[in-house]
Amino acid sequence: MRQPLQIIEAADPTREDARRLIDQEIFALEDCARKLKTRRNLISPINQLPPETLSRIFAFCVTQSITWVRSVTHICRLWRDIALDSPQVWGTMVTIQGHRTHPWLEEVLRRSKMANLSVAIHRPTLKQISSIVKTALSHTEHIATLRIELTGRANNAKIKQMFALLESSAPILSFFSLRSRYIGSYSVPIPDNIFNGETPSLRQVELRGYYPNWSSSMLHNLTSLKILANTGTQPTTEQLILILKSSCYLQQLELINCLPTEGDIAILPKRVDDMILEHLIEFRISSTALGCMNILNRISLRPGTKVWVGANCGKLSQPEDSGVQLGRFFSSLASSLDPKATPFQKLLIRARSRCVVLQMMAELPPASAPMDDHYDFSVSCSLPPIVNGNGSIRQQVLTSAFQSISFRNVVRLQLIGCDDAILPATWFSCLREMPILRSISIINGAYNLFVALRMDLEFLINQEKLEAGLGRGYDDNPPRMVVLPELQTIHVNSVDFSRSYNGTQFAELLIDLFIERYERGAVLHGLSLSWCRCIYQTHVGDLEEVIGAVHWDGLGLPADDSDSEYSDEYGSSAWWQVNSDDEDSEDSEE
């Protein structure tokens, strides 16, 4: 049996010596364990990577907080040595947040040595600008990325002090972002002497709530230019064209409320030599119709470009001017895009600040795609049904839009809130341009579309009879032509089946239409009916005889639901009104 340790008396002089010997043995064992752990870590697969590779990996772990250091440097000795001795890692974490203390900022700058800095400054206080922000921006010659977010007007003391700190040259600055926290009815001008006019490496500029000197060299040789300004000096057409020509590798272009508007809307600018933006990936502009036309009439967008265009096309109280602007706007838009393809995927028409506002979104097919590429097209209209001497403004705007857009390659068509503002005659001409349309989805108003389908079918029947009467050999087997031969599914939501056409109710017109198409071999594979008014089981039963599948939610709302809690002041459903408000709120934030 093991003998118990001998108890050393407190007065025994050997007690301290024994304790010291034991501590030495413990230290030796701990040191041995540390060395073994180090050797064990060194044979780990990840530690076989070169220190430069591990340093690059650590740079991706950097966050706005200093806490990332603990998660990296407390793993093993190798990681700690590499992380603490990697200037590029420390250079990517120069972040200053308003109303926070940053005691480690000077240490971060010291460890970054001569590496490129990535500086982010978010809503600093006046005290911070005069202290730690000044310290960070004193290294302008090493800053490669600079993001600044401020609040206040042009005469704000914080903005003045911040611009005073940005007067030094920035030889390696490649990305510069200056944003205002809140964008009101004003924008702040950027001083002409920012960065002393020397930014040879600058390639990306983002300004929100600020506008530059449009002749500044800072706007040349860019790959990305994004400017959102509510007020301020707008560039001339010559200045904007010079900026675009000097940035031959431009990939992203976003200009909101800062397009040149000189000229007369009644005189369409002459088409000049196209400036093709060969490398452009995203194109986003928003201004008056004339402002959009000034740029659209001078550029051509390459296939594969994502397009977003927003245009203010006149006041609701002057629909005649709106119609003129719309026609010219669509002509300019079509001239800058590929005329052999239908690029538009979405058209939003709404009223804002008593004006007609159009937004169009598109994504052109890539160059490798065939020219007969197919598209989905969505039309959403939330204009109020104001009536003047020439009819409703909604009708004039939608008619102008549909007469200017090509639908030849559209395979799926969605209509939201059009409320039958498009007359049957307009639909009559549009339907003949949709040879490959396969699906139609309608919310709030579908009557005139089906009336036009019926009119077109009657026209074909009369034409067949005329040809048969002329003795063309069609008496026994006349040709069975049909409009929209590829149409397979229709989705109808919130449509009134009690309306009539030439004394025929909509339900009966729909049934007759589908019967005739069935007899001509153009069978509809699916029909969906939701929240429709005055539709009953008998109608659905008749439709099921000529359509492959009819999906009905079983609701048959009364024809007059103007007193219902689900209607708004314009008589449209509350569902659409809510969605319309949501879209407006998104744009207001943007």
Side-chain angles (χ1 to χ4, degrees):
M1 179 178 295
R2 187 173 183 179
Q3 297 294 327
L5 293 176
Q6 295 182 355
I7 300 177
I8 303 177
E9 297 294 336
D12 192 342
T14 62
R15 178 177 181 277
E16 294 298 330
D17 293 338
R19 178 181 295 175
R20 184 170 55 257
L21 291 175
I22 294 174
D23 289 342
Q24 290 176 357
E25 291 183 14
I26 292 175
F27 178 81
L29 292 174
E30 290 178 345
D31 186 59
C32 182
R34 282 194 296 268
K35 291 180 179 179
L36 291 175
K37 290 179 180 179
T38 300
R39 291 170 56 189
R40 184 177 182 276
N41 289 333
L42 289 176
I43 63 176
S44 176
I46 191 171
N47 285 339
Q48 301 302 310
L49 296 174
E52 297 80 5
T53 303
L54 284 174
S55 178
R56 292 290 300 274
I57 295 175
F58 296 158
F60 289 106
C61 300
V62 176
T63 62
Q64 296 181 357
S65 174
I66 197 68
T67 56
W68 73 271
V69 176
R70 183 179 303 171
S71 62
V72 171
T73 60
H74 287 202
I75 300 300
C76 65
R77 182 182 299 276
L78 177 65
W79 284 27
R80 179 181 179 84
D81 293 341
I82 293 176
L84 296 181
D85 197 37
S86 298
Q88 63 271 26
V89 173
W90 294 93
T92 58
M93 58 172 298
V94 184
T95 302
I96 300 174
Q97 294 279 2
H99 302 286
R100 294 185 183 180
T101 59
H102 301 78
W104 41 264
L105 181 62
E106 293 187 2
E107 179 66 16
V108 169
L109 293 173
R110 187 186 67 80
R111 289 185 180 275
S112 65
K113 300 178 181 178
M114 300 295 290
N116 295 348
L117 299 178
S118 178
V119 180
I121 304 172
H122 300 284
R123 304 188 298 280
T125 63
L126 190 60
K127 181 178 180 181
Q128 287 178 319
I129 292 178
S130 60
S131 56
I132 56 177
V133 173
K134 183 177 181 180
T135 301
L137 295 182
S138 63
H139 298 74
T140 308
E141 67 277 8
H142 302 306
I143 296 178
T145 301
L146 178 58
R147 293 177 172 86
I148 302 176
E149 183 175 323
L150 300 173
T151 57
R153 297 178 180 269
N155 57 357
N156 186 279
K158 291 191 294 186
I159 295 180
K160 289 183 178 180
Q161 286 197 21
M162 182 63 70
F163 284 147
L165 298 176
L166 297 176
E167 295 180 355
S168 301
S169 302
I172 66 170
L173 184 67
S174 61
F175 177 90
F176 176 57
S177 174
L178 181 59
R179 301 167 64 91
S180 175
R181 174 62 176 173
Y182 304 105
I183 299 182
S185 57
Y186 59 88
S187 294
V188 180
I190 297 178
D192 296 342
N193 63 343
I194 188 170
F195 300 122
N196 198 27
E198 299 180 10
T199 53
S201 303
L202 188 60
R203 296 296 177 265
Q204 300 180 63
V205 173
E206 294 184 4
L207 303 176
R208 179 185 174 94
Y210 296 84
Y211 62 92
N213 179 347
W214 296 100
S215 300
S216 173
S217 60
M218 182 177 69
L219 302 180
H220 295 174
N221 300 319
L222 300 177
T223 59
S224 176
L225 176 60
K226 299 180 180 181
I227 302 178
L228 189 158
N230 283 344
T231 60
T233 304
Q234 297 171 332
T236 64
T237 303
E238 291 72 18
Q239 286 176 326
L240 182 57
I241 294 301
L242 180 61
I243 292 173
L244 297 180
K245 285 185 176 180
S246 67
S247 302
C248 55
Y249 293 100
L250 194 65
Q251 298 179 2
Q252 294 178 314
L253 178 61
E254 179 177 330
L255 300 173
I256 309 298
N257 299 331
C258 52
L259 294 178
T261 56
E262 69 266 16
D264 188 355
I265 190 64
I267 303 176
L268 182 66
K270 293 183 179 180
R271 187 71 182 171
V272 298
D273 294 338
D274 284 350
M275 180 176 60
I276 302 177
L277 304 177
E278 298 180 353
H279 301 276
L280 200 64
I281 299 175
E282 295 182 7
F283 177 75
R284 185 182 181 95
I285 61 173
S286 178
S287 182
T288 63
L290 179 58
C292 293
M293 288 163 53
N294 272 331
I295 183 172
L296 290 173
N297 225 40
R298 291 170 170 81
I299 65 172
S300 292
L301 304 177
R302 72 175 186 88
T305 304
K306 294 182 180 179
V307 181
W308 187 97
V309 178
N312 185 327
C313 294
K315 297 181 178 179
L316 288 172
S317 58
Q318 299 174 347
E320 294 82 4
D321 293 341
S322 296
V324 172
Q325 294 187 41
L326 279 168
R328 297 185 183 278
F329 167 73
F330 282 116
S331 299
S332 297
L333 186 59
S335 64
S336 64
L337 302 176
D338 192 339
K340 298 181 181 180
T342 304
F344 309 119
Q345 277 90 44
K346 186 175 292 186
L347 169 63
L348 303 180
I349 304 175
R350 66 188 66 183
R352 184 182 302 156
S353 301
R354 299 181 180 179
C355 294
V356 179
V357 179
L358 264 69
Q359 294 180 0
M360 301 196 68
M361 282 142 278
E363 183 173 357
L364 305 187
S368 58
M371 293 309 299
D372 60 348
D373 201 6
H374 304 158
Y375 300 89
D376 298 347
F377 185 65
S378 173
V379 181
S380 175
C381 179
S382 60
L383 292 180
I386 300 175
V387 178
N388 63 355
N390 296 324
S392 72
I393 296 177
R394 183 186 299 177
Q395 173 185 325
Q396 296 177 47
V397 171
L398 284 172
T399 299
S400 177
F402 272 66
Q403 290 176 345
S404 305
I405 297 175
S406 173
F407 296 92
R408 182 164 300 277
N409 293 334
V410 175
V411 294
R412 283 177 289 271
L413 178 65
Q414 183 183 47
L415 304 172
I416 303 175
C418 295
D419 198 22
D420 289 331
I422 305 173
L423 298 179
T426 303
W427 274 122
F428 188 83
S429 59
C430 291
L431 291 175
R432 294 176 173 271
E433 296 185 4
M434 305 180 187
I436 59 175
L437 186 66
R438 299 172 187 171
S439 175
I440 299 176
S441 178
I442 304 164
I443 299 175
N444 276 5
Y447 188 71
N448 286 341
L449 170 60
F450 292 106
V451 169
L453 279 171
R454 183 61 183 172
M455 289 170 54
D456 215 335
L457 196 55
E458 291 174 354
F459 173 80
L460 293 176
I461 293 174
N462 293 332
Q463 186 179 15
E464 292 170 1
K465 292 180 179 179
L466 178 61
E467 292 179 350
L470 293 176
R472 297 191 177 181
Y474 298 148
D475 300 81
D476 297 331
N477 297 300
R480 312 297 281 176
M481 296 181 291
V482 66
V483 181
L484 306 181
E486 301 293 331
L487 186 61
Q488 298 178 1
T489 59
I490 296 178
H491 305 274
V492 179
N493 189 305
S494 303
V495 173
D496 187 358
F497 275 68
S498 66
R499 299 183 61 178
S500 61
Y501 167 69
N502 290 340
T504 303
Q505 282 195 336
F506 182 43
E508 297 178 4
L509 180 144
L510 208 60
I511 293 171
D512 293 341
L513 172 64
F514 292 139
I515 289 176
E516 186 66 32
R517 290 180 62 89
Y518 176 81
E519 293 176 351
R520 290 171 174 262
V523 181
L524 197 67
H525 297 298
L527 174 64
S528 176
L529 304 170
S530 304
W531 286 86
C532 294
R533 299 172 179 85
C534 293
I535 181 172
Y536 306 107
Q537 185 62 49
T538 54
H539 299 145
V540 177
D542 293 337
L543 291 171
E544 287 177 339
E545 295 181 3
V546 292
I547 298 177
V550 178
H551 301 281
W552 178 43
D553 59 4
L555 298 178
L557 301 177
D560 185 11
D561 63 341
S562 58
D563 296 331
S564 171
E565 60 178 341
Y566 297 102
S567 68
D568 58 29
E569 57 180 326
Y570 299 128
S572 59
S573 68
W575 179 91
W576 165 243
Q577 188 67 24
V578 169
N579 280 270
S580 175
D581 292 341
D582 288 344
E583 291 174 350
D584 285 343
S585 64
E586 291 178 3
D587 287 355
S588 63
E589 293 175 0
E590 185 175 73

